[in-house]
Amino acid sequence: MEEQTKTVIKQYSKEVIAEASELLKQGKLVAFPTETVYGLGANALDADACQLIFKSKERPLTDPLIVHVHSLEQSLTLLDQSYQEVVVLFKQLAGRYWPGPLTMVVKANLELIPNMITAETGFVGLRMPNHEIALDLLRTSQLPIAAPSANKFGHVSPTKAEHVYNDFYKDSEVFIIDGGQCSFGIESTVLKISYDQEQSSPYKLKILRRGGVSEQHLRQSLEELGYSGQYVLESVQNKHYVEETENLEAPGQFLRHYSPDIDSYLFSQYKEASTLEFGECVMLDFGQLFLSLRDKVKYYHDLSQEGDYVEAINVIYDKLRWAETQKDAKFVLITNFYEIYGNDKGKGIEHREALFDRIFRATSGKQIL
Ligand code: TXA
Ligand code: MG
């Protein structure tokens, strides 16, 4: 008898949402679209179901899960309300950015949240996604949903239902709700909020992962909200990414992360004398910087001909997955726009760091000439 595949893709409908809610209640995995990437969801109040996420993704338990909510009110039940100053700012930022690509990491209410979701840190990441299907699932199930990106650990994050299917159909049981392509295309910004009254600037804000909300925009919001002089805001830098065996300040910030199953390199300069086998290469260009190599390489795609960072963000993961499946392709070159462009060139410049972060990780920061 032919073996039935356990992973299915279902087109979004009210009936499918009802079925998915039931599955979540039974401790099963449901993948769903958000505006950033697809999430691999489980009931966040059920430790066994969350365990299944780690197992299916082959993800280390040291990497905490984001919990998705349908409202600010729901999120407030999941955090530790005794840290009042943190809660005040949390509410204000949620007011500005939710629903949307901002995950805030705060002390968890461990009476509800299983500690394994927090990777035993006691801190939980909370986010309300800006996507009708995700919100429908959250409201219908009335459950907070723990969901990392729906890819195998270390692989490229999914922006289409078929990406999720390709990663999980062989060995997992996942009910995938198809909502088409994700509109933004890379993950949310992860912001850790802490407060230390001993400090002259008591709010300590750290961007653990760059994403849909830029540092520049956050800073502007903090100023507008009247926090001038009361906060320190900083971002984890690429150079701080370390080997997977080391203890991490920002769990999950591994260097090799979001990478295609094919050797990938940053590319900044073409030299006539280059010995690179361009005939075996996929080139992911930006702003037509290496248009002259189009006929030399085997496959060529420009992430944004106009050099628009947001347009490139919209397609980067899909194109990385495309690159790894091209016949006879041996390696990928990704244009290092960062190195080539001056400081204020390119549309959507405030999103440049987030895009660069993803191509830096996809290539593990490796350069090639
Ligand atoms: O856009 C997104 O954030 C997507 C969609 C599905 O919402 N989710 C996502 O989850 O990207 P994930 O697990 O693939 O990445 C979340 C990262 C973790 O790897 C970790 O670095 C950080 O966010 N994170 C989450 N919770 C944290 C916590 N409690 N403390 C520190 N870092 C945390
Ligand atoms: Mg991920």
Side-chain angles (χ1 to χ4, degrees), residues 52-69:
L52 204 53
I53 294 179
F54 287 95
K55 187 165 170 270
S56 299
K57 267 189 74 109
E58 296 160 29
R59 169 166 166 141
L61 289 164
T62 50
D63 198 353
L65 302 178
I66 293 176
V67 176
H68 296 71
V69 294

Side-chain angles (χ1 to χ4, degrees), residues 57 59 149 151 157 187 257-258:
K57 267 189 74 109
R59 169 166 166 141
S149 52
N151 52 279
S157 297
E187 299 86 342
H257 209 164
Y258 316 123

Side-chain angles (χ1 to χ4, degrees), residues 279-282 298-299 322-330:
E280 299 177 340
C281 156
V282 183
K298 190 153 179 79
Y299 303 95
W322 166 80
E324 72 185 11
T325 58
Q326 294 314 296
K327 193 169 176 292
D328 299 328
K330 300 271 164 50

Side-chain angles (χ1 to χ4, degrees), residues 268-298:
S268 334
Q269 198 185 4
Y270 172 66
K271 293 200 171 134
E272 284 295 334
S274 173
T275 54
L276 278 180
E277 297 286 352
F278 285 104
E280 299 177 340
C281 156
V282 183
M283 167 144 243
L284 293 180
D285 201 5
F286 182 79
Q288 305 191 346
L289 285 166
F290 291 111
L291 185 61
S292 59
L293 296 182
R294 189 171 57 184
D295 298 329
K296 240 175 149 55
V297 296
K298 190 153 179 79

